[in-house]
Every structure is written in structure tokens, then in C-alpha cells.
Coordinates of all heavy atoms in Angstrom, one line a residue:
T14 N 40.4 98.7 121.7 CA 42.0 98.7 121.5 C 42.6 100.1 121.5 O 43.7 100.2 121.8 CB 42.1 98.1 120.0 OG1 41.5 98.8 119.0 CG2 41.6 96.6 120.1
T15 N 41.8 101.1 121.1 CA 42.4 102.4 121.3 C 42.7 102.8 122.8 O 43.9 103.4 122.9 CB 41.3 103.5 120.8 OG1 41.0 103.2 119.4 CG2 41.9 104.9 120.8
A16 N 42.0 102.6 123.7 CA 42.4 102.7 125.1 C 43.5 101.9 125.5 O 44.4 102.2 126.3 CB 41.2 102.5 125.9
V17 N 43.4 100.5 125.1 CA 44.6 99.7 125.5 C 45.9 100.1 124.8 O 46.9 100.1 125.5 CB 44.3 98.2 125.1 CG1 45.3 97.3 125.2 CG2 43.0 97.7 125.8
D18 N 45.9 100.6 123.7 CA 47.2 101.1 123.0 C 47.6 102.3 123.7 O 48.8 102.4 123.9 CB 46.9 101.3 121.5 CG 46.7 100.1 120.7 OD1 47.1 99.0 121.1 OD2 46.1 100.3 119.5
Y19 N 46.6 103.1 124.2 CA 47.0 104.3 124.9 C 47.7 104.0 126.2 O 48.6 104.5 126.6 CB 45.8 105.3 125.1 CG 46.1 106.5 125.8 CD1 46.8 107.6 125.2 CD2 45.7 106.8 127.1 CE1 47.2 108.8 125.7 CE2 46.0 108.1 127.8 CZ 46.8 109.0 127.0 OH 47.0 110.1 127.8
A20 N 47.1 103.0 126.8 CA 47.6 102.4 128.2 C 49.0 101.9 127.9 O 50.0 102.2 128.7 CB 46.8 101.4 128.7
K21 N 49.3 101.3 126.8 CA 50.7 100.8 126.5 C 51.7 102.0 126.3 O 52.8 102.0 126.7 CB 50.7 99.9 125.3 CG 49.9 98.6 125.6 CD 49.9 97.8 124.2 CE 49.0 96.7 124.3 NZ 48.8 95.9 123.0
K22 N 51.1 103.1 125.7 CA 51.9 104.3 125.5 C 52.3 104.9 126.8 O 53.5 105.4 126.9 CB 51.1 105.3 124.5 CG 52.0 106.5 124.1 CD 51.0 107.7 123.6 CE 50.3 107.2 122.4 NZ 51.2 107.2 121.1
I23 N 51.4 104.9 127.8 CA 51.6 105.4 129.1 C 52.8 104.7 129.7 O 53.8 105.3 130.1 CB 50.4 105.3 130.0 CG1 49.4 106.3 129.6 CG2 50.7 105.5 131.4 CD1 48.0 106.1 130.2
I24 N 52.8 103.5 129.6 CA 53.9 102.7 130.3 C 55.2 102.8 129.4 O 56.3 103.0 130.1 CB 53.5 101.2 130.3 CG1 52.4 101.0 131.2 CG2 54.7 100.4 130.7 CD1 51.6 99.7 131.2
A25 N 55.1 102.8 128.0 CA 56.3 103.0 127.3 C 57.0 104.3 127.6 O 58.2 104.4 127.4 CB 56.0 103.0 125.9
E26 N 56.3 105.3 128.0 CA 56.9 106.6 128.3 C 57.2 106.8 129.8 O 57.4 107.8 130.4 CB 56.0 107.8 127.8 CG 55.8 107.7 126.3 CD 55.0 108.9 125.7 OE1 54.9 110.0 126.5 OE2 54.6 108.8 124.7
N27 N 57.3 105.7 130.5 CA 57.7 105.6 132.0 C 56.7 106.4 132.9 O 57.1 106.7 133.9 CB 59.1 106.1 132.0 CG 60.0 105.2 131.5 OD1 60.0 104.0 131.5 ND2 61.1 105.8 130.8
H28 N 55.6 106.4 132.6 CA 54.5 106.7 133.5 C 53.9 105.4 134.1 O 54.0 104.4 133.7 CB 53.3 107.5 132.7 CG 53.8 108.8 132.1 ND1 54.5 109.9 132.6 CD2 54.0 109.0 130.7 CE1 54.8 110.7 131.8 NE2 54.5 110.2 130.6
V29 N 53.0 105.7 135.2 CA 52.5 104.6 135.8 C 51.0 104.5 135.5 O 50.2 105.4 135.6 CB 52.6 104.8 137.5 CG1 51.9 103.6 138.1 CG2 54.1 104.7 137.8
L30 N 50.5 103.3 135.2 CA 49.2 103.1 134.8 C 48.4 102.4 136.0 O 49.0 101.5 136.6 CB 49.0 102.0 133.7 CG 47.7 101.5 133.2 CD1 46.9 102.6 132.6 CD2 47.8 100.4 132.2
A31 N 47.3 103.0 136.3 CA 46.5 102.4 137.4 C 45.2 101.7 136.6 O 44.7 102.4 135.8 CB 46.0 103.4 138.3
I32 N 44.9 100.4 137.0 CA 43.8 99.8 136.3 C 43.1 98.9 137.4 O 43.6 98.5 138.2 CB 44.4 98.9 135.2 CG1 43.2 98.2 134.4 CG2 45.3 97.9 135.7 CD1 43.7 97.7 133.1
C33 N 41.7 98.9 137.1 CA 40.9 97.9 138.0 C 40.6 96.7 137.2 O 39.8 96.8 136.2 CB 39.6 98.7 138.4 SG 39.8 100.0 139.5
P34 N 41.4 95.5 137.5 CA 41.2 94.4 136.5 C 39.8 93.8 136.4 O 39.4 93.3 135.3 CB 42.2 93.4 137.2 CG 43.2 94.2 138.0 CD 42.4 95.4 138.4
E35 N 38.9 94.1 137.3 CA 37.6 93.6 137.2 C 36.8 94.2 136.1 O 35.8 93.8 135.7 CB 36.9 93.7 138.6 CG 37.5 92.9 139.7 CD 37.2 93.6 141.0 OE1 37.8 94.7 141.2 OE2 36.6 93.0 141.8
G36 N 37.1 95.5 135.7 CA 36.5 96.2 134.7 C 35.4 97.2 135.2 O 34.9 98.0 134.4
K37 N 34.7 96.7 136.3 CA 33.6 97.5 136.9 C 33.5 97.4 138.3 O 34.1 96.4 139.0 CB 32.2 97.1 136.1 CG 31.9 95.7 136.4 CD 30.6 95.4 135.6 CE 30.1 93.9 135.9 NZ 28.9 93.5 135.3
R38 N 32.8 98.3 138.9 CA 32.8 98.2 140.4 C 31.9 97.0 140.9 O 31.0 96.5 140.2 CB 31.8 99.5 140.8 CG 32.8 100.7 140.9 CD 32.0 101.8 141.5 NE 31.1 102.3 140.6 CZ 30.0 103.2 140.9 NH1 30.0 103.6 142.2 NH2 29.2 103.6 140.1
V39 N 32.3 96.5 142.0 CA 31.5 95.4 142.6 C 30.6 96.2 143.5 O 30.8 96.7 144.7 CB 32.5 94.5 143.5 CG1 31.7 93.5 144.3 CG2 33.7 94.0 142.6
K40 N 29.2 96.1 143.2 CA 28.1 96.8 143.8 C 27.5 96.1 144.8 O 26.8 96.6 145.7 CB 27.3 97.4 142.7 CG 27.8 98.4 141.8 CD 26.7 99.0 141.0 CE 27.3 100.0 139.9 NZ 26.3 100.6 139.1
D41 N 27.8 94.7 144.8 CA 27.0 93.8 145.9 C 28.1 92.7 146.2 O 29.3 93.0 146.2 CB 25.8 93.2 145.4 CG 26.0 92.6 143.9 OD1 27.1 92.3 143.5 OD2 24.8 92.5 143.4
K42 N 27.8 91.6 146.5 CA 28.6 90.4 146.8 C 29.6 90.9 147.9 O 30.7 90.4 148.0 CB 29.3 90.0 145.7 CG 28.4 89.6 144.4 CD 29.3 89.1 143.2 CE 28.2 88.8 142.0 NZ 28.9 88.4 140.8
N43 N 29.1 91.5 148.8 CA 30.0 92.0 150.1 C 31.3 92.7 149.7 O 32.1 92.6 150.5 CB 30.1 90.9 151.0 CG 28.7 90.3 151.5 OD1 27.9 91.3 152.0 ND2 28.6 89.1 151.6
G44 N 31.4 93.3 148.5 CA 32.6 93.9 148.1 C 33.8 92.9 147.7 O 34.9 93.4 147.5
V45 N 33.5 91.6 147.6 CA 34.4 90.5 147.4 C 34.9 90.8 146.0 O 34.2 90.8 145.0 CB 34.0 89.1 147.7 CG1 35.0 88.1 147.3 CG2 33.4 89.1 149.1
P46 N 36.3 91.0 145.8 CA 36.8 91.1 144.5 C 36.4 90.0 143.6 O 36.3 88.8 144.0 CB 38.3 91.1 144.6 CG 38.5 91.5 146.0 CD 37.4 91.0 146.9
Q47 N 36.1 90.3 142.2 CA 35.6 89.3 141.2 C 36.7 89.0 140.3 O 37.8 89.5 140.4 CB 34.4 89.9 140.7 CG 33.2 90.2 141.6 CD 32.6 89.0 142.3 OE1 32.3 88.0 141.8 NE2 32.8 89.1 143.7
K48 N 36.4 88.1 139.4 CA 37.3 87.8 138.4 C 37.8 88.9 137.4 O 37.0 89.8 137.2 CB 36.8 86.5 137.6 CG 36.8 85.3 138.2 CD 36.5 84.1 137.4 CE 36.5 82.7 138.1 NZ 38.0 82.5 138.6
A49 N 38.9 88.8 136.9 CA 39.4 89.9 136.2 C 39.3 89.7 134.8 O 39.0 88.5 134.2 CB 41.0 89.9 136.3
K50 N 39.1 90.9 134.0 CA 39.2 90.9 132.5 C 40.6 90.6 132.1 O 41.6 90.7 132.9 CB 38.7 92.1 132.0 CG 37.2 92.6 132.6 CD 36.1 91.6 132.0 CE 34.7 92.1 132.5 NZ 33.7 91.2 132.1
A51 N 40.7 90.4 130.9 CA 42.1 90.1 130.3 C 43.1 91.2 130.3 O 44.3 91.1 130.2 CB 42.0 89.3 128.9
G52 N 42.5 92.4 130.2 CA 43.3 93.7 130.0 C 44.7 93.9 130.8 O 45.6 94.2 130.1
V53 N 44.6 93.7 132.0 CA 45.8 93.9 132.8 C 46.9 93.0 132.4 O 48.0 93.5 132.3 CB 45.5 93.8 134.4 CG1 45.1 92.4 134.7 CG2 46.6 94.3 135.2
A54 N 46.7 91.7 132.1 CA 47.6 90.9 131.8 C 48.1 91.1 130.3 O 49.3 91.0 130.1 CB 47.1 89.3 131.9
L55 N 47.3 91.4 129.5 CA 47.6 91.8 128.1 C 48.5 93.0 128.1 O 49.5 92.9 127.3 CB 46.3 92.1 127.3 CG 46.4 92.3 125.9 CD1 46.8 91.1 125.1 CD2 45.0 92.8 125.3
I56 N 48.1 93.9 128.7 CA 49.0 95.1 128.9 C 50.4 94.9 129.4 O 51.5 95.2 128.9 CB 48.3 96.4 129.6 CG1 47.1 96.7 128.8 CG2 49.3 97.5 129.8 CD1 46.2 97.7 129.6
A57 N 50.4 94.2 130.5 CA 51.7 93.7 131.1 C 52.6 92.8 130.1 O 53.7 93.1 130.0 CB 51.4 92.9 132.4
R58 N 51.9 91.9 129.4 CA 52.7 91.0 128.5 C 53.3 91.9 127.4 O 54.4 91.7 127.0 CB 51.7 90.1 127.9 CG 52.4 89.0 126.9 CD 51.4 88.3 126.0 NE 50.8 89.3 125.0 CZ 49.9 88.9 124.2 NH1 49.5 87.7 124.0 NH2 49.4 89.9 123.4
D59 N 52.4 92.9 126.8 CA 52.9 93.5 125.7 C 53.8 94.6 126.0 O 54.7 95.2 125.1 CB 51.7 94.2 124.8 CG 50.9 93.1 124.3 OD1 51.3 92.0 124.2 OD2 49.8 93.5 123.8

């Protein structure tokens, strides 16, 4: 939650946040994007 709150602070101060919704690198599976963690939507909502 500390990192998420900091991410919200970044946006609140009109900076741009970059995030990888999957949460970790896709090391196999031919590089096909995988399902997202909740973080990106949670931060957008808040």
C-alpha cells in the first residue's frame, strides 16, 4: 500500500505514472501478455 499510495501522489501532482499491469516480466509463453493485477485499475479509480 505504501508504493500504491506513492503512485497516487505522483498522479495527484500531475506527473505521469508508468506501470506494467502484469506485475512481473513474461519470461516464456512467447511473450504473450498475461492477465493483469488489480493495481492499475485501483490507482486509476482512486
Side-chain angles (χ1 to χ4, degrees):
T14 57
T15 301
V17 171
D18 288 344
Y19 183 74
K21 295 175 187 177
K22 185 193 298 284
I23 288 167
I24 295 169
E26 296 186 13
N27 292 317
H28 302 290
V29 178
L30 173 69
I32 187 171
C33 296
E35 296 149 295
K37 61 182 180 180
R38 281 184 289 168
V39 178
K40 295 182 180 180
D41 49 20
K42 301 178 182 177
N43 297 319
V45 176
Q47 302 300 300
K48 287 192 174 295
K50 306 293 184 183
V53 65
L55 182 67
I56 295 169
R58 183 199 67 179
D59 290 351

